[in-house]
Amino acid sequence: MTDLVVVTGDLAAGPQPTQVLDRLLELGDRVVLVRGNADRDLVTAARGGQLPEGTPAVDLWAAGRLTDAHVDLLDGLRHPVTVALEGVGDVLFCHGTPRDDDEVVLVDTRPAQWARVLAEVPDTVRVVCCGHTHMPFARLVDRRWVVNSGSIGMPYGSSGAPWTLLDAYGVHLRTTAIDPDRVARSVVEQSEFPDVAQWVEDYVLSAPSDLDALRAFAHRDGRVETWDRP
């Protein structure tokens, strides 16, 4: 059993918002929750604020399902969060990047952009764990590990449920095998989201590949050229 579970944001923007939050809260002190951009959006929507045009319908629906306690929980989340892990040292957990929960970085983001993104991260932090793009990767950036564990609820490119183990032996990208059909049936049965069948088709039964996601996100990481051109 792991000593600590850290979830790097976007906790409830899906067809089972309250179930996910309640399950995470059951872990008590064993879990650290980091704020994601979707968590901010859910709080805004739940409190009657306006969200940008194009906000996914499932996010708007999820916001309406949250209790006041859930909204207060999301509103109180921090970003970023640094945790001292035995045998590992200081690890910074964020959603997009350490400086912005909505900023995009990718496995092939250019060194100059990484330098800007990590400029304010203390030298004592040798591992940075992020999320946001839902694609697992681990790479070195000027002797510092940057890790994205991927996404459990909306995985891109992974054939199972991706996660990352950090211990004294290093960074380990892991995947837990799932039965997509069984997961899809369970979500449909337990969710009241009107378009849940289409949601599970898009994100459980036929999730986007990592290359699809790279093409979609590449223009947001500061590069000039498109993803599929030299």
Side-chain angles (χ1 to χ4, degrees):
M1 179 180 294
T2 57
D3 297 321
L4 186 70
V5 176
V6 182
V7 186
T8 54
D10 286 5
L11 310 176
Q16 295 177 289
T18 59
Q19 295 99 315
V20 170
L21 288 177
D22 291 343
R23 179 67 184 92
L24 290 172
L25 290 174
E26 288 175 4
L27 297 177
D29 293 340
R30 287 190 56 235
V31 68
V32 172
L33 306 178
V34 180
R35 188 193 74 223
N37 63 298
D39 301 313
R40 288 191 292 102
D41 286 347
L42 290 186
V43 172
T44 297
R47 293 178 173 169
Q50 289 293 113
L51 294 183
E53 184 177 350
T55 297
V58 70
D59 292 24
L60 300 174
W61 175 86
R65 310 298 295 181
L66 301 176
T67 66
D68 289 344
H70 290 136
V71 175
D72 289 343
L73 168 69
L74 295 179
D75 193 32
L77 297 179
R78 295 178 294 142
H79 182 279
V81 177
T82 300
V83 180
L85 299 181
E86 184 177 355
V88 181
D90 288 347
V91 179
L92 186 148
F93 296 92
C94 59
H95 185 62
T97 71
R99 64 182 183 175
D100 185 343
D101 63 23
D102 196 30
E103 186 172 26
V104 166
V105 283
L106 302 165
V107 65
D108 62 340
T109 291
R110 301 302 187 261
Q113 180 66 5
W114 279 112
R116 288 186 285 268
V117 164
L118 302 176
E120 300 301 318
V121 177
D123 289 340
T124 55
V125 172
R126 306 316 301 166
V127 181
V128 174
C129 295
C130 55
H132 198 35
T133 60
H134 301 207
M135 294 176 290
F137 71 79
R139 63 163 291 177
L140 282 170
V141 178
D142 194 16
R143 300 189 178 95
R144 177 186 274 137
W145 280 106
V146 179
V147 186
N148 190 319
S149 64
S151 171
I152 297 292
M154 297 173 66
Y156 298 162
S158 174
S159 59
W163 55 285
T164 299
L165 174 66
L166 303 178
D167 61 19
Y169 299 100
V171 175
H172 316 274
L173 296 182
R174 301 288 180 86
T175 301
T176 297
I178 64 169
D179 180 338
D181 292 325
R182 181 178 179 183
V183 171
R185 287 195 301 271
S186 177
V187 174
V188 169
E189 291 170 358
Q190 296 178 31
S191 175
E192 297 178 358
F193 177 50
D195 294 324
V196 65
Q198 186 62 54
W199 192 93
V200 299
E201 176 64 33
D202 292 341
Y203 297 110
V204 180
L205 298 176
S206 55
S209 76
D210 54 312
L211 297 185
D212 292 334
L214 282 171
R215 291 187 183 96
F217 285 121
H219 71 283
R220 293 183 55 192
D221 81 337
R223 70 186 70 191
V224 176
E225 75 282 6
T226 58
W227 174 80
D228 53 357
R229 294 178 183 174

